Amino acid sequence: MEFRTLTVLEHEVVPVGSGASTLSPIEAERLASMTQQRPGFCVFGHRSVRFSQFVGLVNLGGGRVLEVLPKVGEDADPALARGTLLRLLRWAYDLPIFAAGSVDHGLQQRELLDVFVLAYLKALARLVRIGLVHRYRIDEEDLRVIRGRLLLQRQATTHAMRVDRIASRFDELTADNPWNQVLKAALIAARPWARGVESGRLWLEMAAAFDEVPTRRDGLSLHGRLTKDRQVDHYAAALRWAGWILRLLSPDVRKGTNSAPELLFDMNRLFEAAVATRLRHRAGSKGLQLHLQHTGRHLADLLGDAERKYFRLRPDLVLSAGPEVLAVADTKWSRVDVDRRGRLAPPDAHAYQLHAYAAVYPCNEAVLIYPWHEGLADAQETAYQLPPAGSRRPVLHVICADVADDDLSFHFVADGSSFARLR
């Protein structure tokens, strides 16, 4: 079977037709069925499909995969968009998918599924070098020489007249356990997509390393039933990749359904997780704390009953030094505008949201974080004075995270601000 990839960008409109760069009517029908489990993934128009902020991979069936990539600014280069997604995944999920910690040009040029399969094979190779987890399993077998314990009843009834067979029960150390079974299932599912010399060679090596592990067709459901175990903590990265690959390619997902299996990421959440992970690393080195999705505060009390709280607030990030709140921030995966004077001009709704945070949280700084792109090269550092909140005069800062930078650097950070300590 020939495997093909249709690459589109976030928010792009793709026609439904018969060409190689279009979606077939059957594929569009599968996407429509999939959106019941993934609301908001795409919107259907007249013989067209418009994609939203979800990016990643969709298995369209028939050897065809839909690759949806993020769009930053006006850049429509799939290779650069692929690099952006890989960087964000690296930060958000702490995945060691790059040998040197960076996304090189060659990696960006490869289709996303090829990169994922190669990353999974490399994760398996690391486990094999360390040593796969083995567990003792109780086996019963008829042997020529006794091993372990003699099964007296079976020996007396089944082998009473045979001296060349000894019914034995013994403990055997084996790699046949649920964790390795999941990894083997993902390995088998990835076989058709292990394209290229490096992926093909690694697949053969890993298949030999997992030879004693039986193949299971319920790998995805088994993955969901795995329990925590300290002895398999080092399996975390490989098991995450295995779960993703099984979700997209596992036979038990595709069988008997018109829906398209998918491996999609909400860019709003992915950008938030990547920025949070990066800032948390920096905050820890400075003795600060970064709290994610902070809850516990409300915008208002019921008039006459201060114990009844309404309008729960949930900022993406709260930066603190011990009990002192330094700043409250929200990440926004959207394009920030620039006014005629080169100032960053966030949408009104975003500013209103941060004003609400700054009115309730006892801090002097509120921060909006957007992705940086080349269209902001001539923009200037921008901050807005918010209305007083008691004795405080909070300031709204607008900063940008450079998603084209492997270090996820930040632009427009004011000197002296709390976030300047995290640069």
Side-chain angles (χ1 to χ4, degrees):
M1 180 185 295
E2 180 185 358
F3 298 98
R4 296 156 293 153
T5 299
L6 172 61
T7 300
V8 301
L9 292 174
E10 184 184 9
H11 304 299
E12 184 176 344
V13 177
V14 178
V16 176
S18 58
S21 59
T22 66
L23 291 164
S24 71
I26 294 178
E27 291 171 344
E29 183 179 346
R30 286 177 176 162
L31 291 181
S33 178
M34 188 200 77
T35 54
Q36 296 178 12
Q37 287 76 42
R38 180 72 74 169
F41 168 60
C42 55
V43 178
F44 293 85
H46 178 63
R47 296 183 179 178
S48 66
V49 178
R50 177 188 291 275
F51 296 94
S52 62
Q53 80 277 8
F54 291 94
V55 301
L57 297 166
V58 180
N59 190 340
L60 297 174
R64 215 156 95 106
V65 168
L66 174 67
E67 178 186 57
V68 187
L69 301 175
K71 184 178 181 181
V72 182
E74 297 301 322
D75 196 344
D77 185 345
L80 297 179
R82 197 174 289 117
T84 295
L85 176 56
L86 293 174
R87 288 186 196 91
L88 293 178
L89 287 173
R90 171 181 173 239
W91 280 115
Y93 294 101
D94 196 23
L95 293 172
I97 58 177
F98 315 119
S102 64
V103 182
D104 59 32
H105 179 73
L107 201 62
Q108 293 179 170
Q109 295 296 330
R110 303 181 68 157
E111 293 174 355
L112 194 58
L113 184 52
D114 289 344
V115 176
F116 281 11
V117 168
L118 180 59
Y120 176 55
L121 294 174
K122 288 184 175 181
L124 285 187
R126 283 190 289 271
L127 287 183
V128 170
R129 285 196 297 270
I130 296 172
L132 296 178
V133 168
H134 286 65
R135 292 289 172 88
Y136 281 102
R137 180 183 65 196
I138 299 176
D139 278 352
E140 293 183 2
E141 193 173 342
D142 298 330
L143 306 174
R144 292 181 179 275
V145 179
I146 189 170
R147 180 180 177 187
R149 296 175 56 190
L150 175 65
L151 298 176
L152 292 175
Q153 184 176 359
R154 176 173 172 79
Q155 186 68 34
T157 56
T158 305
H159 303 310
M161 304 302 294
R162 298 192 61 175
V163 296
D164 61 332
R165 288 289 182 268
I166 302 176
S168 304
R169 174 181 292 167
F170 54 90
D171 293 335
E172 182 176 19
L173 188 63
T174 175
D176 182 9
N177 56 65
W179 296 277
N180 290 334
Q181 290 169 7
V182 167
L183 298 180
K184 176 70 173 288
L187 182 66
I188 298 301
R191 178 64 186 100
W193 298 93
R195 300 175 292 188
V197 176
E198 184 179 12
S199 294
R201 174 184 58 80
L202 273 175
W203 192 94
L204 292 174
E205 291 177 0
M206 294 305 100
F210 282 80
D211 183 59
E212 71 173 292
V213 180
T215 301
R216 295 185 56 158
R217 296 185 61 83
D218 61 341
L220 184 61
S221 57
L222 179 61
H223 181 273
R225 300 195 303 269
L226 291 179
T227 57
K228 290 186 178 181
D229 191 311
R230 288 186 177 181
Q231 290 188 347
V232 293
D233 283 348
H234 60 294
Y235 272 48
L239 285 173
R240 186 183 294 278
W241 282 115
W244 286 351
I245 287 174
L246 289 169
R247 198 167 116 197
L248 182 70
L249 304 175
S250 176
D252 63 331
V253 177
R254 297 196 302 269
K255 185 176 180 181
T257 178
N258 291 325
S259 182
E262 47 82 8
L263 175 57
L264 295 171
F265 305 92
D266 184 334
M267 282 305 301
N268 295 313
R269 298 295 179 87
L270 182 59
F271 181 57
E272 174 193 328
V275 170
T277 301
R278 191 67 184 108
L279 290 178
R280 176 177 276 176
H281 289 173
R282 297 176 183 178
S285 65
K286 303 292 184 179
L288 305 176
Q289 299 82 44
L290 191 72
H291 311 276
L292 314 183
Q293 292 291 316
H294 193 276
T295 58
R297 295 180 184 268
H298 296 74
L299 184 61
D301 306 331
L302 185 66
L303 184 62
D305 187 354
E307 296 300 318
R308 302 184 67 177
K309 309 293 184 180
Y310 287 85
F311 314 119
R312 181 188 297 273
L313 300 178
R314 194 184 184 93
D316 293 339
L317 309 170
V318 174
L319 181 66
S320 65
E324 180 187 3
V325 177
L326 302 178
V328 61
D330 249 25
T331 58
K332 304 293 183 183
W333 180 257
S334 59
R335 179 186 174 91
V336 61
D337 291 328
V338 179
D339 65 17
R340 290 178 297 177
R341 297 187 179 181
R343 293 184 291 246
L344 300 171
D348 292 349
H350 294 178
Y352 300 157
Q353 183 181 16
L354 268 293
H355 177 211
Y357 293 160
V360 175
Y361 280 81
C363 63
N364 293 318
E365 296 179 32
V367 184
L368 281 167
I369 306 175
Y370 296 91
W372 189 89
H373 56 85
E374 292 184 353
L376 301 176
D378 297 326
Q380 59 182 283
E381 181 184 299
T382 307
Y384 299 92
Q385 182 70 66
L386 295 175
S391 61
R392 295 180 292 109
R393 296 276 294 173
V395 175
L396 173 61
H397 296 277
V398 184
I399 67 177
C400 295
D402 191 351
V403 294
D405 179 13
D406 289 316
D407 195 44
L408 200 62
S409 57
F410 291 87
H411 298 258
F412 312 120
V413 180
D415 291 335
S417 68
S418 297
F419 271 71
R421 300 163 67 177
L422 306 183
R423 283 187 297 193

